[in-house]
Amino acid sequence: MPLTPLEIQRVRDWLATAARVTVLTGAGISAESGVPTFRGKDGLWQGFRATELATPEAFAHDPKLVWRFYNWRRELLAPVKPNPAHEALVRLEGKVPQFTLLTQNIDDLHRKAGSRNIVELHGNIWLVRCIRCLRVARKEEVPLPELPTCPECGDLLRPHVVWFGEALDPADLERAVDASRSCEVMLVIGTSAVVQPAASLALVARERGARVVEVNLEATPYTHLLDVALHGKAGTLVPQLVEGW
Ligand code: OAD
């Protein structure tokens, strides 16, 4: 049997003795489920110019086009299943007294896996919001009508996701900052750490004295500031961190 790498063992020890653990995930944790990452070679939005479609301006200008894009994404995500990394985080939540999962992903895979205390910083692809009465509802049918409307007030629905140039929900951001400030260990999994304010949550945790561990295929702009960087696939590494203690 191969020896357990020292770094993995260190992280296991930290997790095993921590009362509060916070995890921040990005598109990389869903890559092994078949969801393309944003900035990878097969980036979901390459060729689709996400910065043009996933914006309030694009929606105001051409809501049908934006809804076609989101219907396509919903079709892509509907059959996708959680992978061993998502599943390991469910087991971690069961072991740690206080556990918070902060995700930048809108794919719903953490919930599908069974995680409970989740903050979806960028929203959820299966939720819609009325642009007038702001009512949020879960709508799982695929595709939605070309221009879906609110059953309450009749105005247009939009995806309940955070678009480029939009602020995060203040309540979500507050929960995320609190969980980052108060944790003893933070795992940062599969994020390129370039989109703020999510990326800086790792530094908030670090400044408050938490052990911060990155799991990624490669180094990120934050790697040198963190305690441990584990380079490899989340689906292989995350289960190893959660086992054996
Ligand atoms: P990115 O696509 O920017 O980064 C994905 C990261 O995952 C990269 O650092 C990869 O090296 C890593 N990665 C890929 N496959 C992996 C694997 N199997 N195991 C471990 N790591 C892997 O995605 P995000 O960081 O999530 O925002 O992007 C952040 C935000 O930018 C998104 O939420 C989205 C986007 O613009 C909004 O939509 C508002």
Side-chain angles (χ1 to χ4, degrees):
M1 221 174 97
L3 285 174
T4 308
L6 203 61
E7 304 264 81
I8 300 257
Q9 193 52 51
R10 273 174 82 200
V11 180
R12 281 179 179 162
D13 291 345
W14 292 339
L15 289 171
T17 53
R20 293 194 180 91
V21 173
T22 296
V23 177
L24 171 66
T25 65
I29 197 169
S30 298
E32 290 160 72
S33 292
V35 182
T37 58
F38 292 96
R39 293 171 181 80
K41 281 198 294 292
D42 59 348
L44 173 63
W45 290 345
Q46 285 179 11
F48 281 85
R49 294 200 285 189
T51 45
E52 286 181 354
L53 289 183
T55 67
E57 294 79 19
F59 192 69
H61 177 69
D62 192 348
K64 273 190 190 167
L65 176 69
V66 174
W67 263 117
R68 272 208 295 280
F69 175 61
Y70 275 92
N71 269 325
W72 175 74
R73 294 190 69 188
R74 287 163 65 99
E75 206 171 314
L76 188 95
L77 289 172
V80 168
K81 301 238 174 347
N83 67 51
H86 298 101
E87 286 157 7
L89 292 181
V90 180
R91 295 198 293 283
L92 183 59
E93 183 164 14
K95 289 181 170 204
V96 170
Q98 219 170 312
F99 176 91
T100 309
L101 177 47
L102 312 174
T103 187
Q104 299 166 85
N105 300 341
I106 61 170
D107 57 28
D108 212 29
L109 288 183
H110 289 301
R111 193 183 314 271
K112 273 191 188 167
S115 288
R116 299 170 73 88
N117 193 27
I118 311 172
V119 182
E120 293 176 313
L121 293 166
H122 293 166
N124 186 305
I125 187 98
W126 303 111
L127 299 179
V128 294
R129 182 172 82 235
C130 174
I131 62 167
R132 180 157 31 147
C133 72
L134 306 181
R135 185 173 167 270
V136 175
R138 194 166 174 99
K139 278 203 180 285
E140 297 194 357
E141 61 263 41
V142 176
L144 285 172
E146 213 173 29
L147 282 179
T149 50
C150 175
E152 301 293 317
C153 75
D155 212 327
L156 192 57
L157 295 174
R158 61 162 277 179
H160 187 53
V161 298
V162 177
W163 281 331
F164 291 99
E166 290 185 323
L168 268 56
D169 179 319
D172 287 344
L173 186 58
E174 194 180 326
R175 278 178 74 196
V177 172
D178 282 352
S180 304
R181 280 196 178 135
S182 62
C183 67
E184 290 147 51
V185 182
M186 177 182 268
L187 305 181
V188 181
I189 306 169
T191 176
S192 58
V194 293
V195 175
Q196 299 296 352
S200 59
L201 293 170
L203 295 187
V204 170
R206 191 75 192 74
E207 278 162 17
R208 289 290 182 120
R211 308 281 195 185
V212 184
V213 179
E214 179 176 71
V215 177
N216 200 301
L217 289 182
E218 58 194 25
T220 71
Y222 286 90
T223 301
H224 67 287
L225 301 169
L226 309 181
D227 293 279
V228 171
L230 300 171
H231 290 152
K233 290 186 172 183
T236 309
L237 288 170
V238 183
Q240 286 184 47
L241 299 179
V242 176
E243 279 154 23
W245 54 274

